[in-house]
Amino acid sequence: GAGGGGSGGSGEEAPLIDPELLMEVMEAREAIEDAGGSEPELRRLAAENAEKEAECLAALGAALDGEGGTGDGGDLAAARRAAVKLTYLARIRTEIKDQL
């Protein structure tokens, strides 16, 4: 595997997780908690999350295809952001499923 890097350091890229995404994830987790195991509410949250996942996949595809991009085969920063967001959305989906 890859060698383990230390924490911190200079010349690192901006954090992958933008504050907006963190807020969204925290709000989703709160909504799951607030649902208190209510199946209709959890199903609504699951549908909302699935919609976000679909949007995210579309954004990831567009970023990788380089649509509206620089012609060099894609926007890696946008693709990375979409991939990170998808990871969080998948976790939320699992959390909802665990409650159902």
Side-chain angles (χ1 to χ4, degrees), residues 17-100:
I17 303 153
D18 61 38
E20 206 174 284
L21 173 58
L22 277 181
M23 279 303 297
E24 217 175 288
V25 171
M26 283 169 59
E27 282 169 10
R29 291 207 163 118
E30 267 176 40
I32 294 167
E33 265 179 52
D34 292 347
S38 155
E39 191 175 323
E41 182 62 11
L42 287 167
R43 293 210 180 280
R44 188 186 67 76
L45 291 171
E48 229 172 69
N49 197 63
E51 216 170 274
K52 287 181 189 168
E53 278 190 81
E55 282 169 21
C56 217
L57 275 172
L60 179 58
L64 291 175
D65 289 343
E67 282 175 26
T70 51
D72 63 0
D75 179 348
L76 283 182
R80 192 180 290 135
R81 281 193 305 273
V84 169
K85 185 170 183 176
L86 265 175
T87 306
Y88 280 95
L89 290 172
R91 278 189 208 145
I92 289 167
R93 176 172 15 101
T94 303
E95 286 175 32
I96 293 169
K97 207 183 283 178
D98 288 349
Q99 298 280 323
L100 279 168

